[in-house]
Amino acid sequence: MKILVGLKRVIDYNVRVQVKPDGSGVVTDGVKMSINPFDEIALEEALRLREAGVAEEVVVVSIGPGAAQQQLRTGLAMGADRAILVEADEEVQPLTAARVLLSLVEKEQPGLVMLGKQAIDDDCSQTGQMLAALWDRPQATFASEVVVADGVATVTREVDAGLETIEVDLPALITVDLRLNEPRFVKLPDIMKAKKKPLDEMPLAELGVTAGNFVSTSAYAPPAQRERGIMVEDVDGLMAALKDKGLV
Amino acid sequence: MSKILIIAEHDGQALNPSTAKTLTCAAAIGGDIDIAVFADSVDAVAAEAAALDGVSKVLTVETSGNGFRLAAALAPKIVAMAEGYSHILAPSTTFGKDLLPRVAALLGVAQISDVMAVLGSHEFQRPIYAGNAIVNVTVPADQVMAGTVRTASFAAAGAGSSASIESAGSAEAPSHTRYVKLEASGGERPDLQSAPRVVSGGRALGSEENFDIIYQLADAMGAGVGASRAAVDAGYVPNDMQVGQTGKIIAPDLYVAIGISGAIQHLTGIKDAGTIVAINKDAEAPIFEVADIGLVGDLFNIVPELTQKLA
Ligand SMILES: Cc1cc2nc3c(=O)[nH]c(=O)nc-3n(C[C@H](O)[C@H](O)[C@H](O)COP(=O)(O)OP(=O)(O)OC[C@H]3O[C@@H](n4cnc5c(N)ncnc54)[C@H](O)[C@@H]3O)c2cc1C
């Protein structure tokens, strides 16, 4: 079985993202870029499935600017077998990403597609579910445990009410949550080896998908700031402050 | 004029409060509002939905074997029902987040996630980058608008009406997806997402046993209980208690953060809280930058004392 894993290039999660003063976007110049942390977890899980003998090949794909090669090379260094970069210069919205992934799925015929449950840039949490819909296959979103056997994935999902378990027949789409695993660290020799692994590049148009910009975004603004309040000395001070606000 | 379909969220018995909040968002868009209730047994939930103020009618769809929990069962039916609607909304909970993109893709339209304000029938505000930026987004007016609603941004609509209830048939889960079970950890305490007061503990608690002092304080205050991701990851509490970007986004009147540093991903979940109280031994902890009332000190002394004084 082959597993296809999506890796989105995003601003690193440690960066405090700032809105440009003219409201035209967020500051990206000179900002550290990384693999979307949820996608990294998806890749880790795919690699573990391969190491457990459940899968034979792990293919990483990124849809984005040429510079997303860096994230794909990191994915190869983590252990992916090969990489595909679908080059798009404009912003890629979730429905477009899902259509691109669908066309790759038709070509690659994976048993599983694994993605992060959301990208930490647009926070949309849509692409996986959209792909599953277009592909007409099952979806298991927000996974915190994945067991694959006999053509069935048993997935534990982190839902608001607790932990839900569902079974899905393969091929299927899984999106992963943070507690699924802890991604491995990349070692230097792996980075060297990754340079020799295949990385195919193709323009988005070659897949017959046009990047429809369905949602147009204007006015970026910083969020309303909360003010720093008062400091109290002790529990009695806290009680008094709460009483003052009518909260106890 | 807009015609809006809301997909109700419930646990099989009772309507989830997120539905009434989604209704408030729909009312801000304006127009005719219907609520669809998918359930194995629709009556009780449909009656609750029909009582909400501002609903034209409730459409019921029967499922079986917990099919109402599965996006693959609901999405094709919602698409079949979509004719004539200008907007399809669901709460931005794990239920709505799982479901609505599947609907949008089948309809061939984009989705707007986490609507936090309505600027026009097709223009909305939403947060990106864990709430570090707020953007205005517009979708084409000639397409169905599919959106999930950030429930912390809207008050619940009132109840006291009685809309008509109509059957819209049934929905079957495809054989490729099977519901197995739900392990709900929720106990007797107020629901985290709707509780007016929430007490949360972080990594500093150090163990599942130590977390007891958080529960005791919460009980003395009649509060729901939350946690940071670090506390969940360490196994002190179950996942459904996580507050933040990847957990629950909440807006209680009072939020008490105990032994929580105030990472941006955590703060995303509490931005709309009324009053934030922080208890932390590190005076430089970022949580104090957003706290309305701060107390520096050791939580293992402060929390029991506070609990005792509140009792
Ligand atoms: C993609 C992504 C998503 C994330 N999503 C979330 C999310 O949804 N929710 C979330 O919470 N986090 C999330 N995180 C994690 C977040 O970045 C922080 O790591 C986490 O919130 C830290 O939890 P904490 O404050 O409990 O722990 P720490 O940061 O370790 O803070 C512990 C605090 O306790 C204080 N302390 C220690 N001992 C005592 C004592 N005896 N008395 C009083 N104070 C004491 C310390 O001073 C410190 O401030 C996410 C991270 C990533 C990368």
Side-chain angles (χ1 to χ4, degrees):
Chain A
M1 179 175 79
K2 189 190 287 185
I3 304 179
L4 196 66
V5 177
L7 300 182
K8 188 175 186 183
R9 174 183 165 93
V10 299
I11 295 180
D12 187 84
Y13 77 93
N14 284 310
V15 173
R16 200 165 197 136
V17 172
Q18 291 190 329
V19 173
K20 289 183 190 163
D22 67 359
S24 62
V26 300
V27 177
T28 51
D29 287 351
V31 164
K32 184 179 178 206
M33 303 298 286
S34 298
I35 298 176
N36 176 40
F38 293 98
D39 298 346
E40 203 177 341
I41 293 168
L43 174 55
E44 175 64 35
E45 196 67 14
L47 295 174
R48 290 183 191 188
L49 287 168
R50 191 192 60 196
E51 284 154 8
V54 175
E56 287 84 48
E57 192 185 23
V58 174
V59 181
V60 285
V61 49
S62 192
I63 311 164
Q69 279 208 18
Q70 288 164 21
Q71 281 64 44
L72 290 172
R73 288 285 170 208
T74 304
L76 292 169
M78 279 177 71
D81 299 290
R82 65 190 168 86
I84 302 170
L85 174 61
V86 179
E87 268 196 84
D89 292 327
E90 330 156 38
E91 173 206 0
V92 178
Q93 294 183 3
L95 186 55
T96 305
R99 288 173 174 167
V100 168
L101 289 171
L102 178 68
S103 96
L104 291 176
V105 160
E106 282 163 354
K107 212 155 83 187
E108 299 280 345
Q109 301 284 322
L112 270 177
V113 178
M114 303 187 80
L115 307 179
K117 75 161 180 179
Q118 75 193 75
I120 61 163
D121 50 3
D122 61 23
D123 281 331
C124 276
S125 192
Q126 299 172 7
T127 303
Q129 298 89 310
M130 286 182 160
L131 169 63
L134 301 176
W135 189 17
D136 197 18
R137 291 304 307 165
Q139 67 188 46
T141 52
F142 324 140
S144 64
E145 199 188 336
V146 174
V147 179
V148 180
D150 305 322
V152 174
T154 305
V155 179
T156 306
R157 308 178 53 229
E158 291 205 5
V159 296
D160 292 336
L163 295 173
E164 184 189 89
T165 307
I166 63 172
E167 280 177 4
V168 294
D169 293 340
L170 305 188
L173 171 282
I174 295 178
T175 75
V176 310
D177 215 323
L178 290 172
R179 272 174 284 279
L180 181 60
N181 62 47
E182 267 188 57
R184 64 197 65 190
F185 286 104
V186 171
K187 295 184 226 76
L188 197 59
D190 299 326
I191 297 175
M192 303 312 290
K193 261 193 270 170
K195 290 192 173 139
K196 298 199 196 78
K197 291 185 182 175
L199 192 162
D200 281 346
E201 289 174 62
M202 61 190 81
L204 192 140
E206 200 173 284
L207 293 167
V209 178
T210 40
N213 273 338
F214 310 94
V215 179
S216 60
T217 302
S218 57
Y220 288 69
Q225 291 298 323
R226 291 189 74 103
E227 304 269 308
R228 182 185 260 276
I230 57 160
M231 297 301 287
V232 294
E233 287 300 313
D234 50 23
V235 172
D236 290 329
L238 176 55
M239 292 284 288
L242 287 171
K243 273 203 188 100
D244 234 28
K245 289 178 176 277
L247 291 165
V248 290
Chain B
M1 199 180 67
S2 299
K3 191 160 187 267
I4 304 169
L5 182 65
I6 294 173
I7 314 303
E9 174 168 2
H10 60 87
D11 61 3
Q13 272 115 40
L15 201 60
N16 186 293
S18 62
T19 305
K21 295 177 182 177
T22 305
L23 177 56
T24 302
C25 174
I29 296 169
D32 240 18
I33 305 169
D34 295 344
I35 297 186
V37 172
F38 288 74
D40 288 0
S41 125
V42 296
D43 291 349
V45 180
E48 264 191 90
L52 294 175
D53 296 337
V55 177
S56 298
K57 63 175 184 267
V58 172
L59 300 164
T60 62
V61 181
E62 306 238 2
T63 57
S64 59
N66 280 288
F68 67 89
R69 300 179 192 275
L70 301 173
L74 272 51
K77 179 70 182 178
I78 295 169
V79 170
M81 292 164 74
E83 177 78 44
Y85 287 100
S86 58
H87 297 69
I88 300 179
L89 301 178
S92 190
T93 54
T94 51
F95 167 76
K97 286 183 191 172
D98 182 50
L99 172 63
L100 218 64
R102 194 159 179 124
V103 175
L106 292 178
L107 289 169
V109 301
Q111 176 186 308
I112 297 183
S113 298
D114 305 316
V115 170
M116 59 187 286
V118 176
L119 305 176
S121 66
H122 290 78
E123 188 175 4
F124 305 89
Q125 246 174 17
R126 68 175 299 261
I128 57 174
Y129 291 103
N132 277 309
I134 309 297
V135 290
N136 293 358
V137 289
T138 311
V139 283
D142 59 356
Q143 290 180 359
V144 179
M145 180 272 179
T148 58
V149 175
R150 184 177 180 275
T151 53
S153 301
F154 297 90
S161 307
S162 56
S164 65
I165 300 176
E166 285 171 25
S167 169
S170 61
E172 205 60 53
S175 62
H176 60 48
T177 305
R178 298 172 293 277
Y179 171 83
V180 179
K181 63 177 177 186
L182 174 68
E183 283 169 68
S185 41
E188 312 291 276
R189 292 192 177 80
D191 170 52
L192 177 58
Q193 254 159 329
S194 49
R197 290 147 184 244
V198 171
V199 178
S200 278
R203 192 199 310 270
L205 271 301
S207 71
E208 192 181 344
E209 294 72 44
N210 288 350
F211 212 90
D212 268 348
I213 61 172
I214 300 292
Y215 292 118
Q216 284 159 14
L217 175 60
D219 291 345
M221 294 175 56
V225 182
S228 70
R229 176 186 166 197
V232 177
D233 285 0
Y236 307 161
V237 295
N239 68 288
D240 50 24
M241 284 169 57
Q242 181 174 318
V243 171
Q245 180 190 17
T246 46
K248 287 176 177 150
I249 311 276
I250 59 174
D253 301 332
L254 174 61
Y255 185 77
V256 186
I258 299 172
I260 291 177
S261 60
I264 181 76
Q265 295 90 355
H266 188 81
L267 300 183
T268 302
I270 57 170
K271 279 207 171 102
D272 297 317
T275 298
I276 296 177
V277 173
I279 299 170
N280 195 302
K281 72 174 181 192
D282 173 10
E284 305 296 317
I287 188 78
F288 289 122
E289 286 163 33
V290 300
D292 300 283
I293 308 171
L295 174 52
V296 177
D298 189 333
L299 72 91
F300 293 105
N301 299 326
I302 294 170
V303 174
E305 186 185 338
L306 182 60
T307 307
Q308 198 203 346
K309 290 190 165 150
L310 284 166

